[in-house]
Structure formats: structure tokens, C-alpha cells
Amino acid sequence: GAVVSQHPSWVICKSGTSVKIECRSLDFQATTMFWYRQFPKQSLMLMATSNEGSKATYEQGVEKDKFLINHASLTLSTLTVTSAHPEDSSFYICSARGGGHSDEQFFGPGTRLTVL
Amino acid sequence: AQSVTQPDIHITVSEGASLELRCNYSYGATPYLFWYVQSPGQGLQLLLKYFSGDTLVQGIKGFEAEFKRSQSSFNLRKPSVHWSDAAEYFCAVGASDKLIFGTGTRLQVFP
């Protein structure tokens, strides 16, 4: 149980385009979802926290107009990287918390974004 | 400031050898501490966590960790490493609503 999926697992796009990444909790209702960014050989950095039906809370330094987060249902959150640029290339990981797992986050496998 | 330090970027051990991965933290309150493992193409999997109580915590896959408040450490140990343990290991501190991760330790296992 407590499985989180992400789609796509990797994506390549041209500079200036927008990319949407989906995060789904497959077997539990995720009241809270988190989005992280991981640079090569570096740690995971929390970008934002979203509660179902509410606006996301962004960490300091993260542009909310650049990284649009939607958490419209208890099983789905999306991250849209708008007008992507090469510096947005990174590994994006989501996690989810909810159901009977209130004290633990369950992580998705991540999405590798490459912006050309 | 809250932070997590994993001093070892890369560790190599022989299969069957013992393992200790170091983690030091800086946190204002009583910390919640976690160890995660990340394999290529897979999400982070929780190995173990410490919230309170017994400072020696048992986790999955034969791992354990010991919380030492005086040293601000939460080192991960395994008595006998298996080839399948090769992965990236992350220590994290915080609560379930905000985790701060260390930079990770890559474990390589030689047969």
C-alpha cells in the first residue's frame, strides 16, 4: 500500500514551452502533497506544499507563477513548469501524505525534466 | 537554522561487511529523524524513523539507526551489507509536513 506514481518519468521540451507533471496516490487519499526538486548530487529541496482544494504554499525563493501547482482531488496533484528554460532542467519528485499515514510522506519515482 | 549533514558523499563496502552512514543535524526543537533509500528510477523509500522513545530504531531490510542527542547524530547501520543495498541514502529531519534532507550518501557494494 501507499504507492505514489508520477507521470511522465522523463520529458524533454524546448525552451519557452510548458510542461505538466502528474503525481497520483494510487491506493490512499492524499490530503497533502509535496513537490521537491533535486539537482544532480544534491539534496531534495522542498518547492511547495499543497492541500487538496487549497492553494499551494510555496517555499521561499520558488516562483509560484513559474511552478503552478494544482491539487484538485485527493489522488492527484499536478506541477506545471511554465515557459521552461534550461535552468529549470532538474529531477522533480512528489510525495503524498494522507489516509492512515499521517506522519509519513510517500514518494513518487520522480520526473526528469530536460529543457533544450 | 535547520540543516542536515551527511559527511560521506560516497562509500564503498564489500558484500557482507558492516556499514555505518553518518548523519548530523541541526534543529531547534526535538527532531523527528528519518532515513530514506533511493534506487535509480524509484522513489524514496522510508527505512526507519525516530520520533521519541528508544533511541535505537529498527527499520526495514535489516537497517537500524541510533539517535544521539548529545552528538546531534542519527547514524544508520547494518551489520552485513547485501549487493542489493547499493543505492543513495538520505537522512532527513523535520516533521511530516516539512522535511529537510541531507545531500545523500551513495553506497556502492563490491562482491
Side-chain angles (χ1 to χ4, degrees):
Chain A
V3 178
V4 176
S5 69
Q6 279 184 244
H7 179 80
S9 56
W10 60 270
V11 57
I12 301 173
C13 69
K14 292 182 178 180
S15 185
T17 60
S18 294
V19 175
K20 179 183 285 189
I21 301 170
E22 293 185 348
C23 176
R24 293 182 184 273
S25 58
L26 299 184
D27 51 4
F28 69 102
Q29 294 186 324
T31 51
T32 306
M33 285 187 168
F34 308 85
W35 286 94
Y36 295 84
R37 184 172 180 177
Q38 185 180 26
F39 291 101
K41 301 188 186 305
Q42 293 189 29
S43 180
L44 283 76
M45 301 297 296
L46 180 65
M47 299 173 65
T49 302
S50 72
N51 292 298
E52 186 264 338
S54 303
K55 288 185 178 180
T57 302
Y58 290 81
E59 294 298 303
Q60 190 173 11
V62 178
E63 300 175 59
K64 61 181 181 181
D65 295 329
K66 174 76 168 176
F67 299 99
L68 300 178
I69 292 172
N70 183 280
H71 190 172
S73 79
L74 286 172
T75 59
L76 173 65
S77 176
T78 60
L79 167 68
T80 302
V81 183
T82 62
S83 187
H85 288 93
E87 58 266 29
D88 299 323
S89 298
S90 191
F91 195 54
Y92 293 89
I93 302 173
C94 74
S95 70
R97 183 188 73 193
H101 317 286
S102 60
D103 60 355
E104 184 176 342
Q105 295 182 30
F106 296 91
F107 288 82
T111 297
R112 171 79 55 197
L113 170 63
T114 301
V115 185
L116 302 176
Chain B
Q2 300 167 356
S3 65
V4 177
T5 301
Q6 293 181 247
D8 305 305
I9 297 173
H10 187 198
I11 283 183
T12 301
V13 299
S14 298
E15 190 170 20
S18 63
L19 172 71
E20 182 170 36
L21 303 182
R22 296 183 290 167
C23 173
N24 293 95
Y25 66 88
S26 174
Y27 198 75
T30 301
Y32 292 174
L33 294 156
F34 306 80
W35 272 101
Y36 288 88
V37 59
Q38 184 182 34
S39 298
Q42 298 186 25
L44 276 71
Q45 181 183 21
L46 180 67
L47 288 175
L48 46 79
K49 60 189 176 186
Y50 171 78
F51 286 174
S52 64
D54 192 346
T55 56
L56 183 62
V57 181
Q58 302 297 320
I60 62 171
K61 303 185 179 185
F63 286 93
E64 67 176 27
E66 186 171 12
F67 169 57
K68 293 186 177 180
R69 185 187 299 275
S70 62
Q71 299 177 18
S72 297
S73 70
F74 189 57
N75 294 348
L76 181 71
R77 301 194 294 250
K78 186 169 184 177
S80 178
V81 171
H82 188 262
W83 64 266
S84 60
D85 294 324
E88 187 92 21
Y89 291 80
F90 291 94
C91 180
V93 65
S96 60
D97 58 346
K98 184 158 185 175
L99 293 175
I100 299 169
F101 286 85
T103 50
T105 298
R106 177 161 296 280
L107 174 65
Q108 192 170 7
V109 181
F110 279 118

